[in-house]
Each structure stands twice: as C-alpha cells, then as structure tokens.
Amino acid sequence: EKGYETGEHAPGLKLGGGGAYKAAHHIIKTHAKVWHSYNNKWRSKQQGMVGISLTSSWGEPVDPHSQTDRDTAERYIQFHLGWFANPIYRGDYPEIMKNYVGRKSAQQGLGTSRLPTFSVQEKTYIKGTSDFLGIGHFTTRYAIQKSFPFLQVSSYHTDRDLAELVDPKWPAPGPNWLYSVPWGFRRLLNFIKTQYGNPLIYVTENGVSEKVQCTQLCDEWRIEYLKGYINEILKALNDGVNVKGYTAWSLLDKFEWNKGFSERFGFYHIDFKNKNKPRYPKASVDYYRKIISANGFPNPREVMS
C-alpha cells in the first residue's frame, strides 16, 4: 500500500486504488510458486520448510457487545492479515474484502473490481502453500465504523469503511503509530489459530523503537514492552496456539524504511556518526539475555545478580 498506492515507500509508485491490490496479488502468486518449487525439487532431500511472514496489528471492537463494532474489527483484521493469509490458508481473498472492494468499484463505475480475482486453478495452487506462518506484530487499534463517500478517490484505507482509534492511556514509547498493547497479541494469535487451522507460528518481528535517543542506554520501556508481549505469547501457548519460536525486533539499530537511521529498534545502540559504527548494549540486552538463557521468564531467585 505504501509502495504502490501512496508512494511513501520504495518503489514510490502512486498507482491509485488498484496498485496495492495488484502488487499483493503478484506477491501471493509468486509465494505459491516458490513453495511448489521447493516442495517438488528439494523438500524430499532437505526436509526444510517454506512459509510466509506477515505483519499485522490487532483490531479490537470499541464496544464488544455491538455487532457493528465487532464486524468493523473483523473487517480491520481481514483487510490487514486476511488479505494475504486467507488465500494461502483458505484459497481466496476474505469474502468481506471481495464484497467491499467490489461494491466500491461498482459505485465508481468500474466494470470489474479493483481487487483482482484468482482462477479456480490458482486458488487450488495457492491454498496450503505455507509450512509455517511468520508473524510480525507491534501494536493494536480500536476499529470503528466510518463510511467514506464513493466520490472520494478510492484507496485501500477508504475501502475498509473504518477509522482507527487508540486509547490515550496506552503507553507510546516509540514512534507515533506504536502503542504498547500486549493483550492484543494474544487475541491476534488466537484469531490465527481459529481462522487458519492452528498453523505452526514463528514470531518473526516484535519490538519497540524509541522517541528520544537515550544517551544512558536506559531503555526500561523496551524491557516493559518485551515483558508484556512475551507474557501474552505464553498465555496464547496455554490457549493451545502453536507458537514455536520468537524473534525480537531488532538486534541492532538499523535503517528503518523511510525513517532511515532515526528510528531505533535495536538492543544495541549504534553510533552512526562514527565511521567505525561502534555498538553499545542498552539495558534491554541484559534483560533479554536472561530470558533467552531461561527460555522464558527466569525465576528471580535463580538469576545471578
């Protein structure tokens, strides 16, 4: 969407309301081709696995007792995660995406939907092409119904007929989009379990950056974030979700999309102004090291001081 519709990210194309859907369509078909290629040629010898990694926030209804709010939250997640996961696990785009984009396309006077369609053969070819699901997750939003008049320029965001809200009480230690809402992760993982047949999950990205450079490297907000989110994964495991691994984002401060080196997610602070790029451990390094060595939260009585 940012690469092929708004042009904010590389390759910087502004292709209007169909660009993101076309790009995603090609990604999904290409992914399936890679999976089949490995499956046919190398799997029997190597016994490896091929999956896809999808990043998704969680969408929560403002009022869980309101059917409209529940439907809106469902739409948020289907337009976010379901867009890619549904074809791979169930054989086609989510019905809600097909309905909404199709209806808006018709209102615009377009002969066909801006959301491309898979042929019967493509659906069969794509379905089941993931030995595991990689999940990148950072934050949560409340989703609320918001109708966009069809005279507006069509876009992925207006197709969904919703607005995203945040709770001002949620901690926001990093960039303006990243609020710390650990309970959303457990709900997302349980959604995946229910929707896609409890697939094998590897958490491929989870972490927080920082608004201000902490010269003392005292990133206690990152420690709190990791503690909260890892704890919710443990709860999801108790729910029966098939989470096999966890990767924190990220080991080092690095180049972060169109934010360049200004947004720092790393456990290690990098001095980018120094030609040797020295690395300095933040406080979270010691905390995460203990979690790794204990393979979970260590018993405080067993931790060496």
Side-chain angles (χ1 to χ4, degrees):
E1 184 249 338
K2 286 187 166 68
Y4 293 89
E5 187 175 291
T6 67
E8 288 173 66
H9 288 177
L13 301 180
K14 298 179 181 178
L15 302 178
Y21 297 133
K22 279 182 187 163
H25 201 67
H26 292 312
I27 288 169
I28 293 162
K29 291 205 286 187
T30 309
H31 161 78
K33 191 164 188 178
V34 171
W35 187 92
H36 281 286
S37 172
Y38 185 83
N39 199 50
N40 296 335
K41 292 183 185 173
W42 295 289
R43 189 188 297 276
S44 57
K45 185 167 35 172
Q46 297 179 351
Q47 299 296 306
M49 293 197 301
V50 177
I52 193 165
S53 182
L54 304 174
T55 299
S56 182
S57 302
W58 173 246
E60 180 75 6
V62 173
D63 178 3
H65 303 296
S66 157
Q67 188 62 51
T68 302
D69 284 8
R70 289 204 304 270
D71 290 345
T72 306
E74 170 86 8
R75 204 157 60 247
Y76 175 91
I77 202 80
Q78 292 294 359
F79 264 83
H80 212 138
L81 178 68
W83 183 6
F84 291 85
N86 220 72
I88 290 168
Y89 284 97
R90 303 177 77 164
D92 199 3
Y93 290 120
E95 287 300 316
I96 199 77
M97 275 191 89
K98 293 197 288 184
N99 293 343
Y100 268 68
V101 182
R103 190 177 75 248
K104 300 240 176 182
S105 301
Q107 287 171 343
Q108 290 174 274
L110 300 175
T112 56
S113 175
R114 286 178 283 105
L115 183 70
T117 55
F118 295 113
S119 69
V120 175
Q121 291 88 346
E122 284 171 338
K123 289 177 185 176
T124 307
Y125 188 73
I126 292 163
K127 187 177 179 182
T129 56
S130 206
D131 305 317
F132 66 88
L133 178 60
I135 284 291
H137 175 74
F138 295 91
T139 193
T140 283
R141 292 287 185 272
Y142 284 111
I144 192 164
Q145 169 80 24
K146 180 181 180 181
S147 296
F148 291 90
F150 69 83
L151 293 173
Q152 278 191 312
V153 178
S154 62
S155 73
Y156 165 75
H157 278 286
T158 57
D159 283 341
R160 305 178 302 168
D161 273 356
L162 60 84
E164 299 177 24
L165 305 174
V166 296
D167 186 331
K169 296 192 203 68
W170 290 345
N176 57 8
W177 59 270
L178 209 171
Y179 292 79
S180 180
V181 195
W183 52 260
F185 203 4
R186 181 185 184 183
R187 296 186 187 191
L188 177 68
L189 292 168
N190 272 284
F191 176 88
I192 292 164
K193 174 191 168 194
T194 306
Q195 287 274 315
Y196 309 127
N198 202 14
L200 176 63
I201 296 172
Y202 286 93
V203 177
T204 45
E205 289 186 34
N206 175 240
V208 66
S209 62
E210 49 212 57
K211 274 196 180 108
V212 290
Q213 190 172 317
C214 187
T215 48
Q216 289 80 35
L217 307 175
C218 49
D219 58 344
E220 67 287 340
W221 66 88
R222 185 171 285 110
I223 291 170
E224 283 305 307
Y225 179 97
L226 292 166
K227 185 180 184 180
Y229 276 75
I230 292 170
N231 193 38
E232 292 298 319
I233 299 171
L234 288 170
K235 291 178 191 174
L237 279 166
N238 287 334
D239 298 334
V241 180
N242 192 10
V243 184
K244 195 64 185 268
Y246 174 84
T247 313
W249 189 260
S250 57
L251 180 66
L252 311 169
D253 290 338
K254 37 102 195 90
F255 190 85
E256 186 67 31
W257 297 94
N258 54 345
K259 298 290 189 287
F261 297 108
S262 66
E263 202 160 292
R264 295 173 177 267
F265 276 86
F267 284 123
Y268 284 84
H269 174 86
I270 309 294
D271 182 357
F272 292 112
K273 293 186 177 125
N274 186 314
K275 70 177 172 58
N276 295 321
K277 309 288 186 289
R279 307 167 180 183
Y280 303 99
K282 301 173 188 176
S284 53
V285 166
D286 191 47
Y287 179 75
Y288 194 55
R289 184 185 287 127
K290 287 172 183 168
I291 288 178
I292 291 170
S293 61
N295 195 29
F297 292 114
N299 183 330
R301 279 176 282 193
E302 292 175 15
V303 175
M304 300 294 289
S305 57

